[in-house]
Amino acid sequence: MNKDVNVDALFLGPKSENRVFYKEMMEYAITEHMHWRSGFHPEDSALVTPHCQYQPDFRDTLYRTEDILRDLSSRLKTKSVPWFSPRYLGHMNADTLMVSHLAYVMTMMYNQNNCAVEASPVTTDLELEAGRDLCQMFGYDVGKSWGHITSGGTVANYEGIWVARNLKSMPLAMAHHDGAKDLVAGLTEQQLLNMKTSDVLDLTDELKKRGIFEQVRELSARGVGVEPGKLGKFLVPRSKHYSWMKAMDILGLGQEHIVPLDVDSNYRTDVKKMREITFRLMEEGTPILGMVSVVGTTEEGSVDAVHEVVKLRQECEDKYGSSFYIHVDAAYGGYVRSMFLDEESQFMDYDALVDSYRSKEIIPEGVVWPKRDVYDAFQAMSEADSITVDPHKVGYIPYSAGAVAMKDSRIVDLISYHAAYVFEESDEQDVGDKPVMLGSSIMEGSKAGSTAAAVWAAHRLVPLNISGYGHVIGRGIVTADWFTNKLATAEPFVVQGRSFEVRPLMHPDFHMVNFTFKELGNDSLADHNSLNQRVYERCSYASGRAYSKDFLTSSTSLTVDEYGDTPSIYVRERGFDVQEWETEGSVYILRSAVMTTFLRDEVRFSQYWNNLRDIFTQILTEIVDEENKKSLSHSAA
Amino acid sequence: MNKDVNVDALFLGPKSENRVFYKEMMEYAITEHMHWRSGFHPEDSALVTPHCQYQPDFRDTLYRTEDILRDLSSRLKTKSVPWFSPRYLGHMNADTLMVSHLAYVMTMMYNQNNCAVEASPVTTDLELEAGRDLCQMFGYDVGKSWGHITSGGTVANYEGIWVARNLKSMPLAMAHHDGAKDLVAGLTEQQLLNMKTSDVLDLTDELKKRGIFEQVRELSARGVGVEPGKLGKFLVPRSKHYSWMKAMDILGLGQEHIVPLDVDSNYRTDVKKMREITFRLMEEGTPILGMVSVVGTTEEGSVDAVHEVVKLRQECEDKYGSSFYIHVDAAYGGYVRSMFLDEESQFMDYDALVDSYRSKEIIPEGVVWPKRDVYDAFQAMSEADSITVDPHKVGYIPYSAGAVAMKDSRIVDLISYHAAYVFEESDEQDVGDKPVMLGSSIMEGSKAGSTAAAVWAAHRLVPLNISGYGHVIGRGIVTADWFTNKLATAEPFVVQGRSFEVRPLMHPDFHMVNFTFKELGNDSLADHNSLNQRVYERCSYASGRAYSKDFLTSSTSLTVDEYGDTPSIYVRERGFDVQEWETEGSVYILRSAVMTTFLRDEVRFSQYWNNLRDIFTQILTEIVDEENKKSLSHSAA
């Protein structure tokens, strides 16, 4: 018996193919809970009697309940987007795991709150276990690291910068405390502000031994606030998610202390420029509060060279004695690291990896994945201080489930709190090195235990390695490769004598495929953008009911503000003059995250592509017809 | 036909009494979604075929799914706490609304993310509608205010202080901008830091007219950070939730800038001392960043005199020309405001209110509620700048659903962001004055649309006024009153010649009942605390499976650190010497939020109380037996 998951058995399916199983399990989840209720103190009589239930006002309330649910169902069916279908290739959305749905519903009936163990005697444990799974996936030492669930990547990013900020302020706090200043004696302010994460945490151990940890902590940023700029600059790629801007605002650091890093032709952080900026700051004596690497940019799915960031930090430590905090924003790409792990969670050698892909039929001959630098980047993630990852993206878990993982669990003590009413003494146990009072160790307070159950159950069924998520994610990667190749080589679409050529932005790092249609002979980037915007409108909810669409995608604009001149590469490749780019300053693209698992079969994909060609032709025909009508009415007028 | 809700028809019930309806509706929710899938492009063939489904590895994955769900069910049934039962009177937990369960599950299948409309074409609207419901409940002008869902009260509190901080820093930012400085010309720094909320927002309107709003905003705290202490002090009652400490840390303001406000004998903010501190700060010229009033303290359910805070602010404006921001933390008590509203959402006169309670059979003769100052406090909430409220507490909605409401929606512009990829131009519409791109206008990013559906559906079925939540919450208030009276007058429990007297901490402001058992003749507060801790252990999950318990409650310690000497009032009432309090510094109490709706019937409650007396006798007997055994083994040794 193959121990690997069967991907088709994980989802309800585009045609509700697995409906019998789904319903049976839902019935099980609900009935089990009902038995639990009725079995509690059998001697208690029912408090709602059939007689009450028969009264008109009782029935009236039930019928009103049904009215509301029917109204809701109607709204959902009218306006929702069919993520489940392979016809949807847009945002990071696809069908989600049955086991997570079922675990969520089952657990919701017990209504646990992971803020405190007392309110979640079952699900706090599940969250800790899911957190350990993620740490293991990232190559962290499970006994020393710490991970937990957040509402999403945004909050996970906040938490990353929160710990970085409080950590950075600790050495200065030590210098201001009589019982601690000897620990940092002789260090300049610059040295205090540039200590290695592990060195700071080792010092906190010493503070704990001396019994003055809490006192010193009160002198850190949490107690006394943050002097603007004092802690230095925060380096974030221009491809960054806007949550980083929010983060600098919320954390009181000020957005002006972000230093944006340019991207290269692959929409990854430009390593050369990153190094220049870093060295310049080092030479100037400006501290670096932290550096963000993105694994899976929101718009392009590009993977920053995390290994280069790790290497750069080492160089700075060697050359300047200055270190910096590294946070990896892998909200999108985090789960892809399971593609690299064997069943013992070991990061595989490149060659062995490719062999396994073949033998497990994850990636067929002809599809070259991963690129070597993508491989290196994923490997180096284990050196990051903290990592954001969204189970509700490539974990195929329903919204909302984000997560953050931290390499050294001691860092949690820099942000932890306790409150009497939620924390009974009997709860003050630690599981390994991890605090179990989640509400006092994380940014958020109340949080659904059901979410933890959904993530936990997914990880149990679909291991975070090549035999589990490897199969699930692999399907999207393969399909994305085929899709990119079809786009790169497709014959132009000819409509009423006009020719439209489709071309991808680039070959993706994993499964985000961007592309545009270009009318051959058109020199105007503005017209080009307008054409693609019109295609988008016909391929989305934007022009009416998504349910009636033949193909659905998303779109975005790559602008000079965000990307500098990188998009001009594509613009010129598409045959536009560079001046067009300089005038417009943006290129509008169609954006398809290929997360569907249902096109992993070359024959099936060929049929899909042929169908898609027809759909594109139809859409372009509509656009041309519309233009003709307009110009006709213009000339008539 | 009575238009009021029938409360018994809202919940599954302690014995799953409404199981037939619940299952039927769940089946409806799921089946409708399945039809939606299979009806999408009927011409598409199924992608998972019966042949595939019959393969061993396919079936293996399904069986493994079932194994995991069975394991989860077993864990949940073993360790969960039976919130649904009237035998549970502890944290703010009870049975939750069927309509919210069903709406959640139905919507989860469509997997919407309220970060952006594109990802939630249905549920962003539902969230906005639910937010308006809350604004209306709080007496805000629905056309000018703004409310939305958060993961919980903690994040809602963060958001309150975030807007307050950015608002406070705006006048200074204007003074630093050449195009804006005329707007604040002649004002001293102290005046700049003490402007009225509405005055600052009027100035932002002017900045928008001049087209320099964004520029000035970049000079506020969000852009340049926060100089520690600059924005002044943050006044929070000692009864505060620990999230306020976290908030000051996270927002970069520093905890040392919290000024704790003492509580009075009712565990409400001491108005006299609050006034003294406020006037002292005014005289000193220290700005007040904000003032928090708590409506429903976590431990006692006490309601701060919000009307006194509003009055105080007016006095400060009149006398010193200095204003301050008011945030009401009504995480626990917010929904109780629906008890005061008629069916047109008007805050009722006191006498009319009491008449309605009688005619609608919400509060019977003999139960005096609300106290006059509680009434005044709830009325004054409409003057607060922002309010935290938790639908997952007294909204009877499953975790996790918090919310925040803001009186003046213009304030959102001080924290708003945009990101290209989630915000298509066609989405840039406003609904009234409210931005619809939630992710760019709130702290969190991704969030489950299902949560919005759960809150929305609850509000549709159970109106936020006397005819809806009035009935639901009224039941707990009445039962809490009966419970308190029983505790206040109960004969001592006599066990093996020893007498134990139970007494409430005080008469609650709504439905949190605290109490302790005292052994008559015992002079030691330490022994008293130990006794009650042992009672708690037998009434909770702390000493083993909650399911096997006869009665379940929660507990807390009222300490001198948090409450000053207020708890000594109760300690002395219980017959302890004041020195005992001074030595111990805390009193351990049992804590029962009476949220159950199933004891609203005097006959039923009498039976319940008689049964509870037996349970308490049994528990005290176990404790006495254990002591006897211990002393026996000591004397044997």
Side-chain angles (χ1 to χ4, degrees):
Chain A
M1 174 73 71
N2 189 343
K3 284 198 307 180
D4 291 18
V5 291
N6 182 308
V7 178
D8 292 331
L10 297 176
F11 301 97
L12 175 56
K15 292 283 168 183
S16 305
E17 289 91 333
N18 288 320
R19 75 185 67 128
V20 175
F21 180 77
Y22 192 100
K23 280 195 171 177
E24 189 185 319
M25 286 296 100
M26 193 63 89
E27 158 83 15
Y28 170 76
I30 293 166
T31 306
E32 284 283 283
H33 176 79
M34 288 178 176
H35 292 170
W36 189 70
R37 288 194 180 206
S38 55
F40 181 65
H41 284 277
E43 71 275 22
D44 293 349
S45 52
L47 296 176
V48 184
T49 64
H51 179 76
C52 302
Q53 289 170 314
Y54 190 69
Q55 299 307 309
D57 69 322
F58 190 100
R59 298 168 69 86
D60 185 65
T61 294
L62 293 188
Y63 284 126
R64 270 196 269 167
T65 306
E66 185 163 352
D67 284 350
I68 290 161
L69 292 168
R70 283 184 186 266
D71 176 24
L72 178 60
S73 181
S74 160
R75 290 178 189 227
L76 287 165
K77 289 163 74 168
T78 306
K79 289 181 72 182
S80 294
V81 180
W83 316 127
F84 60 83
S85 171
R87 289 175 181 268
Y88 182 85
L89 299 178
H91 290 293
M92 298 90 159
N93 286 112
D95 205 351
T96 45
L97 297 167
M98 282 197 287
V99 75
S100 295
H101 286 219
L102 294 162
Y104 194 100
V105 175
M106 181 186 279
T107 309
M108 186 178 70
M109 303 195 76
Y110 298 84
N111 199 32
Q112 310 214 348
N113 178 359
N114 279 13
C115 182
V117 171
E118 195 170 353
S120 53
V122 179
T123 54
T124 284
D125 285 347
L126 302 184
E127 178 159 352
L128 295 172
E129 200 170 336
R132 285 193 292 271
D133 296 336
L134 294 171
C135 288
Q136 187 166 54
M137 178 173 73
F138 293 133
Y140 285 171
D141 179 337
V142 172
K144 291 183 178 165
S145 55
W146 153 249
H148 70 86
I149 294 170
T150 65
S151 64
T154 294
V155 172
N157 284 346
Y158 296 162
E159 206 166 299
I161 196 167
W162 184 23
V163 293
R165 189 199 68 183
N166 284 9
L167 178 96
K168 273 279 169 188
S169 70
M170 277 298 282
L172 275 179
M174 293 180 212
H176 288 116
H177 188 283
D178 283 341
K181 60 169 60 155
D182 62 300
L183 295 173
V184 291
L187 297 181
T188 64
E189 183 168 297
Q190 199 188 331
Q191 287 169 320
L192 291 172
L193 287 167
N194 289 291
M195 281 175 77
K196 272 176 74 165
T197 300
S198 57
D199 289 347
V200 179
L201 293 174
D202 289 345
L203 288 175
T204 63
D205 284 345
E206 178 59 28
L207 297 175
K208 287 173 193 169
K209 273 189 214 144
R210 294 184 183 185
I212 53 172
F213 174 68
E214 278 78 11
Q215 286 173 32
V216 175
R217 189 172 64 174
E218 293 321 309
L219 300 175
S220 77
R222 74 189 246 149
V224 302
V226 187
E227 205 177 307
K230 180 86 168 185
L231 302 179
K233 298 295 178 189
F234 195 64
L235 279 57
V236 191
R238 284 193 192 275
S239 59
K240 68 184 173 290
H241 191 266
Y242 72 114
S243 59
W244 290 111
M245 297 298 281
K246 287 169 71 176
M248 291 297 278
D249 171 356
I250 291 167
L251 274 290
L253 293 161
Q255 295 160 14
E256 67 178 5
H257 298 293
I258 282 188
V259 175
L261 300 173
D262 287 342
V263 295
D264 65 15
S265 58
N266 288 307
Y267 296 85
R268 304 173 185 159
T269 298
D270 187 310
V271 172
K272 190 160 161 279
K273 291 186 182 163
M274 167 185 82
R275 292 174 58 86
E276 282 167 14
I277 289 176
T278 303
F279 290 136
R280 200 190 68 222
L281 292 170
M282 292 280 159
E283 305 274 349
E284 280 176 17
T286 305
I288 295 177
L289 169 58
M291 171 99 76
V292 172
S293 252
V294 181
V295 169
T297 59
T298 303
E299 294 179 308
E300 308 85 6
S302 291
V303 176
D304 278 348
V306 181
H307 50 294
E308 291 287 351
V309 180
V310 171
K311 191 177 128 211
L312 174 61
R313 177 169 65 179
Q314 187 63 53
E315 285 177 46
C316 290
E317 289 170 7
D318 294 345
K319 189 169 168 193
Y320 302 97
S322 286
S323 188
F324 52 81
Y325 190 94
I326 300 176
H327 180 89
V328 173
D329 183 351
Y332 175 21
Y335 274 75
V336 179
R337 201 171 193 271
S338 59
M339 294 283 302
F340 300 88
L341 304 181
D342 67 17
E343 286 163 33
E344 277 71 48
S345 298
Q346 296 305 305
F347 202 91
M348 297 170 79
D349 289 339
Y350 193 88
D351 294 337
L353 186 69
V354 172
D355 287 348
S356 284
Y357 288 159
R358 298 290 181 271
S359 66
K360 286 179 177 287
E361 298 182 11
I362 291 175
I363 296 181
E365 294 283 345
V367 175
V368 179
W369 196 89
K371 301 171 195 168
R372 188 70 207 205
D373 39 14
V374 168
Y375 173 90
D376 291 339
F378 275 100
Q379 186 166 33
M381 284 172 76
S382 62
E383 297 303 317
D385 293 302
S386 50
I387 303 174
T388 291
V389 59
D390 273 346
H392 64 219
K393 290 195 174 89
V394 183
Y396 292 83
I397 287 163
Y399 293 114
S400 61
V404 64
M406 299 182 189
K407 188 179 177 66
D408 189 329
S409 62
R410 293 177 298 174
I411 209 166
V412 178
D413 291 333
L414 302 177
I415 60 167
S416 74
Y417 286 83
H418 292 276
Y421 88 104
V422 281
F423 307 118
E424 293 308 318
E425 276 186 20
S426 52
D427 297 336
E428 297 277 2
Q429 49 192 312
D430 280 0
V431 176
D433 280 316
K434 289 163 208 74
V436 293
M437 293 296 101
L438 286 168
S440 69
S441 307
I442 65 173
M443 183 172 265
E444 290 167 293
S446 291
K447 47 199 299 211
S450 316
T451 304
V455 178
W456 173 87
H459 291 182
R460 300 282 77 67
L461 180 62
V462 190
L464 294 161
N465 61 44
I466 196 167
S467 73
Y469 275 101
H471 284 279
V472 178
I473 298 166
R475 288 199 174 186
I477 288 173
V478 171
T479 307
D481 182 83
W482 290 338
F483 187 40
T484 308
N485 291 341
K486 289 289 188 194
L487 294 169
T489 58
E491 291 295 312
F493 298 81
V494 182
V495 173
Q496 299 172 24
R498 293 165 64 178
S499 292
F500 299 89
E501 189 182 69
V502 69
R503 284 294 177 266
L505 177 70
M506 60 180 178
H507 196 279
D509 284 349
F510 49 105
H511 56 33
M512 181 71 84
V513 181
N514 295 327
F515 59 100
T516 66
F517 290 89
K518 187 195 180 220
E519 178 163 15
L520 297 180
N522 168 41
D523 298 331
S524 155
L525 181 57
D527 288 351
H528 180 74
N529 287 343
S530 161
L531 169 68
N532 284 285
Q533 187 156 2
R534 280 179 289 168
V535 173
Y536 166 72
E537 281 162 11
R538 284 166 178 78
C539 295
S540 80
Y541 80 113
S543 63
R545 204 172 170 223
Y547 199 72
S548 63
K549 298 289 193 287
D550 295 322
F551 175 70
L552 295 121
T553 190
S554 68
S555 69
T556 192
S557 287
L558 305 180
T559 66
V560 66
D561 285 352
E562 274 186 283
Y563 293 104
D565 280 332
T566 297
S568 73
I569 301 168
Y570 180 69
V571 168
R572 279 179 296 153
E573 275 173 15
R574 309 301 308 114
F576 296 102
D577 199 280
V578 70
Q579 278 185 316
E580 285 292 304
W581 167 252
E582 280 158 11
T583 312
E584 280 295 301
S586 81
V587 56
Y588 191 93
I589 56 168
L590 303 167
R591 169 177 166 274
S592 292
V594 185
M595 288 202 32
T596 184
T597 57
F598 295 107
L599 296 174
R600 167 64 176 83
D601 175 309
E602 252 183 305
V603 177
R604 195 183 277 172
F605 182 77
S606 274
Q607 292 166 349
Y608 179 87
W609 171 253
N610 290 337
N611 188 34
L612 193 55
R613 275 205 68 104
D614 292 346
I615 295 167
F616 286 152
T617 304
Q618 176 59 31
I619 287 167
L620 292 165
T621 304
E622 284 171 27
I623 293 171
V624 169
D625 283 349
E626 204 179 77
E627 282 181 11
N628 290 346
K629 239 185 256 169
K630 250 189 213 158
S631 71
L632 205 68
S633 75
H634 275 279
S635 45
Chain B
M1 176 70 71
N2 188 344
K3 286 198 305 180
D4 290 17
V5 291
N6 182 308
V7 178
D8 292 331
L10 298 175
F11 301 97
L12 175 56
K15 292 282 167 183
S16 305
E17 288 92 333
N18 288 319
R19 75 185 67 129
V20 175
F21 179 78
Y22 192 100
K23 280 194 170 178
E24 189 185 319
M25 287 295 99
M26 193 63 88
E27 157 83 16
Y28 170 76
I30 293 165
T31 306
E32 283 284 282
H33 177 80
M34 289 179 176
H35 292 169
W36 190 70
R37 289 196 179 205
S38 54
F40 182 66
H41 284 278
E43 71 274 25
D44 291 350
S45 52
L47 297 177
V48 184
T49 63
H51 178 75
C52 301
Q53 289 171 314
Y54 190 66
Q55 299 309 308
D57 69 321
F58 191 100
R59 299 168 68 86
D60 184 62
T61 295
L62 293 188
Y63 285 126
R64 269 196 268 170
T65 307
E66 186 164 350
D67 283 350
I68 290 162
L69 292 168
R70 282 182 188 265
D71 176 23
L72 178 60
S73 180
S74 160
R75 290 178 188 227
L76 287 165
K77 289 164 73 168
T78 306
K79 288 181 73 182
S80 294
V81 180
W83 316 125
F84 61 83
S85 169
R87 289 176 182 269
Y88 182 84
L89 300 177
H91 290 294
M92 297 91 159
N93 286 112
D95 206 351
T96 46
L97 297 167
M98 282 196 288
V99 75
S100 295
H101 286 219
L102 295 161
Y104 194 101
V105 175
M106 181 185 278
T107 309
M108 185 178 71
M109 303 194 76
Y110 298 85
N111 200 30
Q112 311 214 347
N113 178 359
N114 279 13
C115 183
V117 171
E118 196 170 351
S120 54
V122 180
T123 53
T124 284
D125 285 348
L126 302 184
E127 178 161 352
L128 294 172
E129 199 170 337
R132 285 193 291 272
D133 297 335
L134 294 172
C135 288
Q136 187 166 55
M137 177 172 74
F138 292 133
Y140 286 169
D141 180 338
V142 172
K144 292 184 177 162
S145 55
W146 153 249
H148 70 86
I149 293 170
T150 65
S151 65
T154 294
V155 172
N157 284 345
Y158 296 162
E159 205 165 301
I161 196 167
W162 184 22
V163 293
R165 188 199 69 183
N166 284 11
L167 178 96
K168 273 279 166 186
S169 70
M170 276 298 282
L172 275 179
M174 294 180 210
H176 288 116
H177 188 282
D178 284 340
K181 60 170 58 158
D182 61 300
L183 295 173
V184 291
L187 297 180
T188 63
E189 183 168 296
Q190 198 188 331
Q191 287 169 320
L192 292 171
L193 286 168
N194 288 291
M195 281 177 76
K196 272 176 75 165
T197 300
S198 57
D199 289 348
V200 179
L201 293 173
D202 289 345
L203 289 174
T204 64
D205 283 347
E206 179 58 29
L207 296 176
K208 286 174 193 168
K209 273 187 213 145
R210 295 183 182 183
I212 53 172
F213 174 68
E214 277 79 11
Q215 286 172 32
V216 176
R217 191 172 62 173
E218 293 320 311
L219 300 174
S220 75
R222 74 190 246 148
V224 301
V226 188
E227 204 176 307
K230 181 85 168 186
L231 301 178
K233 297 297 177 187
F234 196 64
L235 279 56
V236 191
R238 285 193 190 275
S239 58
K240 67 183 175 295
H241 191 266
Y242 72 114
S243 59
W244 289 109
M245 298 296 283
K246 287 168 72 175
M248 292 296 280
D249 171 355
I250 291 167
L251 274 292
L253 293 161
Q255 295 159 13
E256 67 178 6
H257 298 294
I258 282 188
V259 175
L261 300 172
D262 287 341
V263 295
D264 66 15
S265 57
N266 288 308
Y267 295 85
R268 304 172 184 159
T269 298
D270 186 310
V271 172
K272 189 160 161 279
K273 290 185 184 164
M274 167 184 80
R275 291 173 60 86
E276 283 168 12
I277 288 176
T278 303
F279 290 136
R280 200 191 67 220
L281 292 170
M282 293 279 159
E283 306 275 349
E284 279 175 19
T286 306
I288 294 177
L289 168 59
M291 171 100 77
V292 173
S293 253
V294 181
V295 170
T297 58
T298 303
E299 295 179 307
E300 308 84 7
S302 291
V303 176
D304 279 347
V306 181
H307 50 296
E308 291 288 350
V309 180
V310 171
K311 193 178 127 210
L312 174 61
R313 177 168 65 178
Q314 187 62 53
E315 286 178 43
C316 290
E317 289 170 6
D318 296 343
K319 190 170 167 190
Y320 303 99
S322 285
S323 187
F324 51 83
Y325 190 93
I326 300 176
H327 180 88
V328 173
D329 182 351
Y332 175 21
Y335 273 76
V336 179
R337 201 170 193 273
S338 60
M339 293 285 301
F340 300 88
L341 305 180
D342 67 19
E343 284 163 34
E344 276 72 49
S345 298
Q346 296 304 305
F347 202 91
M348 298 170 79
D349 289 337
Y350 193 88
D351 294 338
L353 185 70
V354 173
D355 287 348
S356 284
Y357 287 160
R358 299 289 181 271
S359 66
K360 285 179 175 287
E361 299 184 9
I362 291 176
I363 295 183
E365 294 282 347
V367 175
V368 180
W369 196 89
K371 300 170 195 169
R372 189 70 208 205
D373 39 14
V374 168
Y375 173 91
D376 291 340
F378 274 100
Q379 186 166 32
M381 284 171 77
S382 61
E383 298 303 317
D385 293 301
S386 50
I387 302 175
T388 290
V389 58
D390 272 346
H392 64 219
K393 290 195 175 90
V394 183
Y396 292 82
I397 288 161
Y399 292 114
S400 64
V404 65
M406 299 182 189
K407 187 178 177 69
D408 189 329
S409 62
R410 294 177 297 175
I411 208 165
V412 178
D413 291 334
L414 302 176
I415 59 168
S416 73
Y417 286 82
H418 293 277
Y421 88 104
V422 280
F423 309 117
E424 295 307 316
E425 276 186 20
S426 53
D427 297 335
E428 297 278 2
Q429 48 191 315
D430 280 359
V431 175
D433 280 316
K434 289 163 208 74
V436 293
M437 294 296 102
L438 285 169
S440 70
S441 307
I442 65 173
M443 183 172 265
E444 289 166 292
S446 293
K447 46 197 299 207
S450 315
T451 303
V455 179
W456 173 87
H459 291 182
R460 301 283 75 66
L461 180 63
V462 189
L464 294 161
N465 60 44
I466 195 167
S467 74
Y469 274 103
H471 283 281
V472 178
I473 297 167
R475 289 199 174 187
I477 287 173
V478 171
T479 307
D481 182 83
W482 290 338
F483 188 39
T484 308
N485 291 340
K486 289 288 189 193
L487 294 170
T489 58
E491 291 294 314
F493 297 80
V494 181
V495 174
Q496 299 174 24
R498 293 165 65 177
S499 292
F500 298 88
E501 190 182 66
V502 69
R503 285 294 176 266
L505 178 69
M506 60 179 177
H507 196 280
D509 283 351
F510 49 105
H511 56 33
M512 182 72 83
V513 181
N514 295 327
F515 58 100
T516 66
F517 290 90
K518 187 197 177 218
E519 177 163 15
L520 298 180
N522 168 42
D523 298 330
S524 155
L525 182 56
D527 288 351
H528 180 74
N529 287 344
S530 161
L531 169 69
N532 284 283
Q533 187 155 0
R534 279 179 288 168
V535 173
Y536 166 72
E537 280 162 10
R538 285 167 177 78
C539 296
S540 80
Y541 80 112
S543 63
R545 205 175 169 220
Y547 198 72
S548 62
K549 298 290 193 287
D550 296 319
F551 175 71
L552 294 122
T553 190
S554 69
S555 68
T556 192
S557 288
L558 305 179
T559 65
V560 66
D561 284 353
E562 274 187 282
Y563 292 103
D565 280 331
T566 296
S568 73
I569 300 168
Y570 180 68
V571 168
R572 278 179 296 153
E573 276 173 13
R574 309 301 308 114
F576 296 101
D577 199 279
V578 69
Q579 278 186 315
E580 284 293 304
W581 167 252
E582 280 158 11
T583 311
E584 280 295 301
S586 82
V587 56
Y588 191 92
I589 56 169
L590 302 166
R591 169 176 166 275
S592 292
V594 184
M595 289 203 30
T596 183
T597 58
F598 294 108
L599 296 174
R600 169 64 176 84
D601 177 308
E602 252 184 303
V603 176
R604 195 182 277 174
F605 182 76
S606 274
Q607 291 166 350
Y608 179 86
W609 170 254
N610 289 337
N611 187 34
L612 193 54
R613 275 206 67 104
D614 292 345
I615 295 167
F616 285 153
T617 304
Q618 177 58 33
I619 286 167
L620 292 166
T621 303
E622 283 170 28
I623 292 172
V624 168
D625 283 348
E626 203 179 79
E627 282 182 11
N628 291 344
K629 237 185 259 171
K630 248 189 216 162
S631 70
L632 204 67
S633 76
H634 274 279
S635 45

